[in-house]
Amino acid sequence: MTATDQPQAVASSHLPEEMFRTAPLRHAGLLSDAAESSYIHSSTATMALYRVIAIGTGVSWLAFMALGSNSSLEYLASFTTPPDSLADGAWWLFTIAALATVVGSLIHRKKVYFWTFLVAGNTYLLAWLVHLGFLVLTGSSPMTEMYLGDYVGLPIAMLMAVLPGKLGVPLAVITIGVAGAINLGTPLGWNTVLEVAHAEILMIPFLVLVQTGRQVSSALDRAASHAHRDAVRVAKLKTLLELETRFLGYVHDRVLTFLDGVWRGVIQPPTTSASAEKLIPTVPSHSTPVELARVLSEMVSRAGEVAPDSQLYVPQSVPPEATLPADVAATLTDALLESLSNAVEHAPRASLSCRFKVELEEGECTGLRLTISDDGPGFNQQLAPRDRAGIRIAVIGRMQATEGCDVSIESEPGKGTVVTLSWSSCGLTAGEITGAKIDVPTVYDLVGVAKVFRPANAILVTAVFIGLSLNNDHSSLLLLSMALVAATVAAWSLIQGAELELPGSYTTVVMVSVPMFFMCAALDFSQPASDWPHVWYPWVLVLLCVYLAIRDRAAQAWTMWAVCLVIAQLLASSGWGPSEVDAVSVATMSMVLLPATLIPRMVKLTTRGLPLAMATEASTATAVQLVATQRSFLGDSAAWVTSQVRKALNPRFDVEVRRLNAHLLELRLRDSIRSPLFDSPDVTRSVWDARGRGVKIKLLDDRSSLSDQAYTVSEDPRLERIQQALVDVLAKKNVESVTARIFPEGRSLYATAVVTDAEGTWRIEIV
Amino acid sequence: MNINVVAVDDHEVALIGLTHMLRESDGCELVGVYHSVLEVVARVGDASQPPVDVVLLDLRLSDGSDPFINATAIQKAGANVLVYSSLESPFFVRRALHAGVAGILEKSASTGELVEAIKLAASGQTYATPDWAGIIDSDPLLSAVQLSPRQREVLELYAMGESAKRVATLTGLAADTVQDYLGRIRTKYALAGRPANTKIDLFRRAQEDGFVPGPMEK
């Protein structure tokens, strides 16, 4: 304190640091960013994909082991007794892992998916490595009879779903290839090539599905997060600005008046620190209401001026106590006048009407609908000329910016135009304000079949078909050729169309050509080969059925498959075809049809529900965010003001000191609200002390007075210069008065400080 | 001769404080305190009572009334208006300035400043302060006011915090001319005030300006 006889306000050095903390009032941008950092990343799409993978692979794995693989009997037998061999132990583990993934899909938590996929995939991989190790080291493996290669794609798909980046793809290709090579113990050679090629072309669609699905769902989640974040930012800024305005109203009405009263001796300083807290009441959060009757009457009178010939249908009477938020009233009036003047301009001879419909509940206005219709020439909304498009932009834009308001425009050439403006008190739901419209990709994109069903792949598949066919002896070159041509036609047809669903005509071609292929190949068949594929054509049949099922033609695929089973059975029974290839033997080779049917179906179902799921997630998250933002703002601001008052008026200070403190605090609060750019701890401290010495200080921030600019201007390096200049000037003892001003944008000067001291008046200019 | 002053404020504390200040002043007498503009207008127009020279008007009244409408009504009744208010959003202040009030004064002002402002307002002059000038100078629609380059210069110097004397020196104008310029700025700004007389217009204007008026304490 300075040594004078007069009582002095407390020097800043005797007050706590937080007394000079920047006010949270004007820092909506910071608050908003802080709230954003806690934003939970959207994972709806990824979770949906995980569920598909969990059910699709889990169920298929179990079905494969129990029914479809070469080792089904061994697998089922392993459960009759406790596991007493390496293979039995592996069966048990596989079963538990597959069941766990299916159960995990019911729990539907990201962590559960992650761990079940990781554990299941690695359990398989471990078994596979042990098997490989035995083969390499001893030449034989106790796990050979497990035929691990039969279902290698399923646990590998689980691993791919959780392994980072593209690591899963090479891992899957290598694992599947090696598994295919060693699966049946075939000596290395041509048949190994066939086994590997077959395993890869069978599994690649599933792997692509997983990998692409993962990329797409992750991109989708990112897009959803961005859209949501932007929407939340807008909503929060709007909320904060409104809250801020209201809060400042309270600070003005309560706090500043109170402090002024204390300073002037009208009010005794509070005797307890708790009294200060009573200053900050709850802040209301709704717009000022205006009388509905008055709003309607003004709308009618102004509509009459804009469109004198229009027919207005207005309710006979409305309850006098019914009100409408003032901002809604203003927006609706604007939109009404704009719509009317547009109608008058573009449909001058049309009959124009405007119907007002008020929704009331127990005397309160809960909704208002204005329908403006004309029977004029109308316009094509898609091809609207600029001026007509302007209606949409002007009216819709304004309406959308107002809580609870909605607008729709219906117009067709020759059929007039109907504009509906509405407001509902249910108003601002989080869903509406998010506006987070997310384009959910088509199933085709999500599944990634576009990457698989390409001409090059059809050629590759045909080459594999030919390769497989070469493993058997043939009785008729003609029948073989016909079989291969039919299979090639089917493969070529399967890559047609731009949608996931194979076009009907190509489906028909496939359904005709595949049984034809099957019959020709069966009639041509002479005898089984010693190595896999013992009989080539059932494997081709299964592949073609799988591809058709993946192209969203599951029913046709199963039908085609059944027809071929009947053909096989008939030929086997009649002796025209090989007896080894009957319906049952073909059926046991076909288990892969199950995931081929299940997975695309599930993807389709999931993507259908995705927009709703994402919108729901976004609404819930936004609502939570807004409440959190409001609480955070009010909490911070109220705490800040209360803490300032409590510290300045601390009862341990002398009454006269408190009185002076009240005055300095009043000025400090004014500054922090009126001139936020000057609200830095250093400036605040210097100003407090200088005012305590009797220096007259005026801080004018005319740059951030427009609230929406307050968040960008504070990063200007010139701000630091004027703040520092101010601190330096105020440190001088002979200063009498200082007026510092930060100019509005677009001026040649950034800021000035006019200083009067014992030697005269001079000016600091920051350009 | 004393200047008769009345005040409109719905904060009892503020009115008591004002009474204290003017009681100590020389030449100003507080002849009435009121809570609403209607009462003041009636008082100003009441020929049976001593005439009112200056009305100290709080911008934010609990009845939610518009400063523009309030100031216009009082001036029409025959008194000069000086805005005497706690800190306010520029939106409210501009509303009052568009009505052509004599100036604005913060409630934290000293007795000397208060008396000086009242005296200037009573004589029909403009009470120009950095706050007053800054509010006009930073109006986004200032170009619509059509001030001359000299008037812009005077306004900006005032907004910086320069004194009347220094403004005269810096611009090379006579002190009277500077005061005359201030009066013209005030009048031009009021004339350029966009008419917005209904509550709905007020809200629309507030939204355009980026301000939504705060709530009234009820």
Side-chain angles (χ1 to χ4, degrees):
Chain A
M1 282 192 226
T2 52
T4 71
D5 293 338
Q6 294 292 317
Q8 297 285 315
V10 177
S12 65
S13 53
H14 290 78
L15 287 165
E17 280 291 319
E18 56 261 42
M19 184 81 195
F20 303 99
R21 193 159 52 92
T22 305
L25 300 173
R26 280 274 172 171
H27 289 257
L30 294 177
L31 255 176
S32 180
D33 288 342
E36 258 162 39
S37 65
S38 65
Y39 171 72
I40 302 159
H41 186 78
S42 168
S43 59
T44 313
T46 305
M47 293 284 282
L49 182 77
Y50 280 172
R51 179 172 267 169
V52 170
I53 293 171
I55 297 176
T57 54
V59 170
S60 300
W61 196 5
L62 288 169
F64 249 103
M65 290 190 293
L67 305 170
S69 73
N70 291 310
S71 55
S72 299
L73 294 175
E74 285 83 355
Y75 172 74
L76 294 172
S78 72
F79 292 102
T80 54
T81 54
D84 56 359
S85 68
L86 196 61
D88 277 4
W91 286 129
W92 278 79
L93 286 176
F94 288 178
T95 306
I96 293 167
L99 282 172
T101 55
V102 177
V103 172
S105 72
L106 302 175
I107 300 170
H108 200 53
R109 293 275 183 281
K110 205 170 180 178
K111 273 192 178 169
V112 174
Y113 283 128
F114 179 82
W115 287 110
T116 51
F117 287 171
L118 201 67
V119 169
N122 280 320
T123 304
Y124 174 87
L125 211 57
L126 185 67
W128 183 87
L129 285 170
V130 169
H131 173 56
L132 193 63
F134 270 109
L135 285 177
V136 171
L137 296 173
T138 67
S140 67
S141 163
M143 297 166 82
T144 300
E145 296 302 309
M146 290 183 76
Y147 293 98
L148 291 170
D150 282 5
Y151 38 82
V152 55
L154 300 165
I156 290 300
M158 294 182 191
L159 265 187
M160 278 182 70
V162 290
L163 284 179
K166 293 181 176 172
L167 192 66
V169 179
L171 175 77
V173 170
I174 292 168
T175 313
I176 290 169
V178 176
I182 62 171
N183 193 37
L184 302 170
T186 312
L188 290 177
W190 169 243
N191 290 87
T192 314
V193 174
L194 289 181
E195 284 183 45
V196 171
H198 176 262
E200 298 285 5
I201 62 169
L202 186 67
M203 284 299 161
I204 275 174
F206 294 102
L207 302 182
V208 170
L209 183 149
V210 172
Q211 188 63 20
T212 313
R214 215 180 101 168
Q215 287 167 358
V216 172
S217 57
S218 156
L220 200 57
D221 280 333
R222 274 200 306 278
S225 302
H226 286 160
H228 184 198
R229 192 193 60 206
D230 291 346
V232 165
R233 177 179 284 174
V234 169
K236 277 195 298 200
L237 276 183
K238 197 173 164 188
T239 307
L240 285 171
L241 287 177
E242 196 167 321
L243 271 179
E244 181 190 69
T245 311
R246 293 174 198 290
F247 190 79
L248 294 187
Y250 268 104
V251 170
H252 157 262
D253 282 349
R254 288 287 192 92
V255 184
L256 296 185
T257 307
F258 166 81
L259 291 172
D260 192 55
V262 171
W263 178 51
R264 295 190 192 283
V266 178
I267 299 175
Q268 281 301 305
T271 48
T272 63
S273 56
S275 322
E277 281 158 32
K278 292 181 188 162
L279 287 171
I280 311 297
T282 315
V283 176
S285 60
H286 296 292
S287 186
T288 304
V290 289
E291 289 165 30
L292 176 65
R294 190 178 150 181
V295 173
L296 289 181
S297 127
E298 175 164 323
M299 280 180 176
V300 169
S301 113
R302 298 183 67 177
E305 290 167 20
V306 174
D309 298 330
S310 58
Q311 288 283 326
L312 302 177
Y313 302 94
V314 191
Q316 290 297 314
S317 66
V318 291
E321 70 273 19
T323 59
L324 199 64
D327 54 345
V328 171
T331 305
L332 281 179
T333 308
D334 279 349
L336 169 69
L337 298 180
E338 188 138 2
S339 305
L340 287 174
S341 71
N342 261 295
V344 169
E345 186 183 343
H346 294 281
R349 289 178 196 159
S351 69
L352 179 61
S353 71
C354 177
R355 202 170 285 276
F356 292 67
K357 190 180 172 210
V358 176
E359 284 163 26
L360 295 162
E361 247 174 56
E362 296 173 359
E364 282 184 21
C365 178
T366 54
L368 180 60
R369 177 183 290 267
L370 313 179
T371 311
I372 303 114
S373 39
D374 69 63
D375 57 0
F379 62 97
N380 184 330
Q381 297 197 61
Q382 306 299 322
L383 308 170
R386 289 185 69 83
D387 55 342
R388 296 299 302 238
I391 313 170
R392 297 206 303 269
I393 296 160
V395 174
I396 295 176
R398 244 181 259 178
M399 291 288 286
Q400 284 180 342
T402 309
E403 291 180 10
C405 284
D406 197 13
V407 61
S408 78
I409 299 174
E410 290 167 33
S411 187
E412 273 183 54
K415 294 190 178 172
T417 304
V418 178
V419 179
T420 309
L421 310 167
S422 59
W423 167 77
S424 164
S425 63
C426 308
L428 189 69
T429 64
E432 285 171 40
I433 48 168
T434 58
K437 292 209 172 65
I438 300 148
D439 290 328
V440 174
T442 63
V443 183
Y444 188 69
D445 294 331
L446 197 60
V447 174
V449 288
K451 290 187 178 174
V452 177
F453 293 94
R454 288 176 177 166
N457 291 358
I459 293 168
L460 179 71
V461 165
T462 307
V464 173
F465 290 172
I466 295 169
L468 289 171
S469 75
L470 294 178
N471 200 43
N472 289 119
D473 293 332
H474 303 279
S475 58
S476 163
L477 190 61
L478 178 68
L479 285 172
L480 173 65
S481 306
M482 284 172 66
L484 286 174
V485 168
T488 306
V489 168
W492 173 79
S493 301
L494 280 164
I495 62 165
Q496 304 302 317
E499 298 297 322
L500 173 68
E501 190 181 70
L502 188 68
S505 53
Y506 291 107
T507 308
T508 309
V509 173
V510 173
M511 288 188 73
V512 171
S513 57
V514 169
M516 194 183 282
F517 143 79
F518 192 82
M519 193 152 26
C520 292
L523 291 171
D524 160 64
F525 187 77
S526 73
Q527 59 178 17
S530 54
D531 290 323
W532 189 93
H534 308 293
V535 187
W536 71 284
Y537 60 91
W539 297 107
V540 174
L541 167 72
V542 171
L543 258 174
L544 292 169
C545 289
V546 163
Y547 287 170
L548 187 60
I550 291 178
R551 290 301 303 268
D552 203 21
R553 291 290 186 181
Q556 289 85 341
W558 283 99
T559 308
M560 191 170 80
W561 175 79
V563 167
C564 291
L565 251 63
V566 170
I567 292 171
Q569 189 59 45
L570 286 175
L571 291 177
S573 317
S574 65
W576 285 89
S579 57
E580 303 88 336
V581 190
D582 59 2
V584 175
S585 69
V586 176
T588 54
M589 300 176 193
S590 312
M591 198 46 65
V592 71
L593 250 179
L594 186 68
T597 306
L598 206 56
I599 292 178
R601 291 265 127 193
M602 290 190 63
V603 170
K604 202 173 176 182
L605 278 174
T606 310
T607 46
R608 197 182 294 159
L610 218 48
L612 183 64
M614 289 185 143
T616 309
E617 185 211 39
S619 317
T620 313
T622 305
V624 170
Q625 291 263 319
L626 287 189
V627 171
T629 307
Q630 288 182 356
R631 282 197 185 141
S632 155
F633 176 83
L634 285 179
D636 287 359
S637 302
W640 181 80
V641 172
T642 311
S643 144
Q644 301 265 314
V645 174
R646 198 194 294 161
K647 288 183 177 70
L649 304 186
N650 191 328
R652 76 183 166 87
F653 297 135
D654 180 70
V655 173
E656 197 58 21
V657 172
R658 277 188 279 164
R659 205 174 67 77
L660 293 166
N661 279 355
H663 183 51
L664 292 195
L665 181 59
E666 183 195 351
L667 297 175
R668 183 261 190 279
L669 290 177
R670 282 173 194 282
D671 288 341
S672 69
I673 296 167
R674 165 70 176 85
S675 303
L677 288 181
F678 284 113
D679 189 9
S680 81
D682 288 344
V683 172
T684 307
R685 193 184 293 278
S686 302
V687 168
W688 178 281
D689 288 334
R691 279 184 178 142
R693 296 197 306 270
V695 180
K696 288 188 66 176
I697 300 167
K698 173 71 72 184
L699 303 178
L700 298 169
D701 164 14
D702 287 328
R703 201 174 189 84
S704 59
S705 56
L706 286 176
S707 323
D708 58 343
Q709 294 174 4
Y711 320 114
T712 53
V713 288
S714 57
E715 289 163 10
D716 199 317
R718 294 173 296 182
L719 178 62
E720 203 176 317
R721 284 164 56 204
I722 184 66
Q723 286 181 347
Q724 190 54 50
L726 198 55
V727 170
D728 293 343
V729 160
L730 293 175
K732 296 178 179 169
K733 297 295 176 196
N734 61 350
V735 173
E736 293 164 11
S737 74
V738 178
T739 301
R741 182 186 191 217
I742 298 178
F743 284 64
E745 294 219 42
R747 304 294 175 90
S748 55
L749 288 171
Y750 175 79
T752 54
V754 173
V755 183
T756 302
D757 56 20
E759 291 158 19
T761 301
W762 46 285
R763 193 158 76 204
I764 300 168
E765 294 186 353
I766 306 288
V767 182
Chain B
M1 194 180 121
N2 269 350
I3 298 169
N4 291 336
V5 179
V6 299
V8 196
D9 201 314
D10 45 22
H11 292 100
E12 208 58 51
V13 171
L15 290 173
I16 297 171
L18 192 62
T19 311
H20 276 284
M21 287 166 80
L22 288 183
R23 193 180 293 153
E24 295 164 8
S25 75
D26 181 24
C28 298
E29 190 176 350
L30 191 64
V31 295
V33 289
Y34 299 94
H35 296 288
S36 81
V37 171
L38 278 180
E39 293 172 293
V40 173
V41 169
R43 167 66 184 84
V44 173
D46 187 350
S48 66
Q49 297 197 55
V52 175
D53 302 302
V54 175
V55 173
L56 298 176
L57 174 68
D58 190 5
L59 286 179
R60 188 195 287 267
L61 296 172
S62 62
D63 58 8
S65 49
D66 173 18
F68 175 85
I69 295 172
N70 289 345
T72 307
I74 296 168
Q75 289 174 142
K76 232 182 229 175
N80 293 299
V81 175
L82 189 62
V83 168
Y84 183 64
S85 180
S86 276
L87 166 133
E88 279 303 343
S89 77
F91 169 77
F92 274 143
V93 179
R94 287 190 186 119
R95 290 291 298 160
L97 293 182
H98 281 311
V101 299
I104 51 176
L105 190 68
E106 282 184 0
K107 281 184 181 167
S108 58
S110 67
T111 307
E113 289 166 330
L114 176 63
V115 171
E116 183 199 348
I118 289 173
K119 284 182 176 168
L120 278 172
S123 64
Q125 294 191 73
T126 304
Y127 178 64
T129 57
D131 278 308
W132 173 85
I135 286 287
I136 297 176
D137 185 54
S138 61
D139 189 330
L141 297 175
L142 183 62
S143 56
V145 181
Q146 294 180 337
L147 298 177
S148 70
R150 262 313 171 90
Q151 287 164 350
R152 281 294 297 267
E153 190 186 357
V154 167
L155 184 67
E156 196 166 284
L157 287 170
Y158 259 89
M160 286 178 192
E162 296 286 7
S163 64
K165 199 172 158 190
R166 281 259 301 171
V167 172
T169 313
L170 291 168
T171 55
L173 296 169
D176 287 349
T177 314
V178 171
Q179 185 56 232
D180 180 52
Y181 274 21
L182 294 175
R184 284 172 194 272
I185 292 167
R186 171 183 157 195
T187 312
K188 280 187 177 178
Y189 191 74
L191 285 174
R194 296 149 293 171
N197 297 320
T198 68
K199 199 159 191 175
I200 291 170
D201 277 327
L202 175 64
F203 261 84
R204 182 163 51 242
R205 208 59 73 204
Q207 285 165 338
E208 282 172 13
D209 284 358
F211 294 100
V212 179
M216 306 305 135
E217 194 179 334
K218 288 180 179 170

